């Protein structure tokens, strides 16, 4: 059965949400590249967030991202090679290796936070503060409270 409003078909909503997300993320990464982080990719930001300030193991990282330990390890290998992560002995358990952010990784996340604020302000300038706030409030109202969990199986593939 077709939508009640042919000007606004149901399938367009997720595409518009995705396009808005891609616009923000693409603009962020273009500016990150200009600021010295040309190798960072969107998935890398999720990984750095999942590693966190205290570090983690590859197994725990895989669980947080909803991917296998091997897939997490491959991404860690790439981010170690790029200088964003490092592996270190776990002081609590000599059998384990921790994955931690380097200063470069912390810098990339810090810059991302500042840039996301600036990108939000760009939307405010274009749409108005009330409309952006209303959009955020509306999205919060219809999304589950644990929406920011990273361990959503299938989101990052294996």
């Amino acid at each position: 059965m077709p939508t009640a409003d042919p000007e606004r078909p149901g399938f367009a909503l997720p595409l518009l949400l995705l396009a808005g997300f891609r616009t923000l993320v693409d603009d962020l990464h273009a500016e990150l590249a200009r600021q010295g982080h040309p190798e960072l990719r969107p998935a890398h930001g999720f990984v750095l967030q999942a590693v966190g300030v205290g570090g983690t193991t590859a197994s725990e990282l895989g669980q947080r991202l909803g991917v296998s330990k091997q897939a997490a390890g491959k991404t860690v290998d790439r981010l170690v090679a790029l200088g964003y992560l490092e592996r270190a002995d776990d002081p609590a358990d000599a059998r384990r290796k921790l994955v931690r952010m380097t200063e470069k990784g912390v810098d990339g996340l810090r810059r991302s936070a500042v840039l996301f604020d600036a990108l939000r302000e760009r939307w405010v300038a274009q749409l108005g503060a009330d409309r952006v706030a209303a959009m955020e409030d509306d999205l919060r109202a219809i999304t589950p409270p644990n929406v920011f969990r990273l361990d959503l199986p299938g989101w990052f593939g294996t």
Side-chain angles (χ1 to χ4, degrees), residues 4-53:
D5 185 350
E7 298 294 315
R8 298 178 181 272
F11 69 84
L13 178 60
L15 296 175
L16 288 168
L17 289 169
L18 179 61
F21 172 79
R22 280 296 307 261
T23 298
L24 283 171
V25 170
D26 289 349
D27 289 351
L28 170 89
H29 283 276
E31 186 57 32
L32 279 174
R34 283 189 282 280
Q35 292 187 19
H37 295 280
E39 59 280 304
L40 272 180
R41 300 291 174 258
H44 295 160
F46 289 108
V47 173
L48 293 174
Q49 294 264 346
V51 167
V53 294

Side-chain angles (χ1 to χ4, degrees), residues 43 46-47 50 57-76 150-158:
F46 289 108
V47 173
T57 66
S59 291
E60 290 166 348
L61 181 62
Q63 290 172 350
R64 291 177 187 176
L65 295 173
V67 300
S68 69
K69 176 183 174 182
Q70 293 78 14
K74 184 176 179 182
T75 303
V76 167
L150 294 174
D151 64 339
L152 300 172
W155 272 80
F156 296 98
T158 53

Side-chain angles (χ1 to χ4, degrees), residues 36-40 48 79-85 101-111:
H37 295 280
E39 59 280 304
L40 272 180
L48 293 174
L79 289 170
V80 166
L82 292 171
Y84 289 94
L85 295 176
M101 275 191 285
T102 62
E103 283 301 316
K104 186 175 180 181
V106 171
D107 182 65
L109 279 184
R110 267 194 215 122
R111 288 176 188 272

Side-chain angles (χ1 to χ4, degrees), residues 134-150:
M135 179 175 32
E136 291 167 333
D137 292 343
D138 290 345
L139 288 169
R140 279 187 192 98
I142 61 170
T143 55
N146 60 352
V147 70
F148 296 110
R149 285 183 24 227
L150 294 174

Side-chain angles (χ1 to χ4, degrees), residues 88-98:
D89 292 330
D90 185 343
D93 185 347
R95 298 169 295 170
R96 292 177 8 143
K97 286 281 190 194
L98 286 180

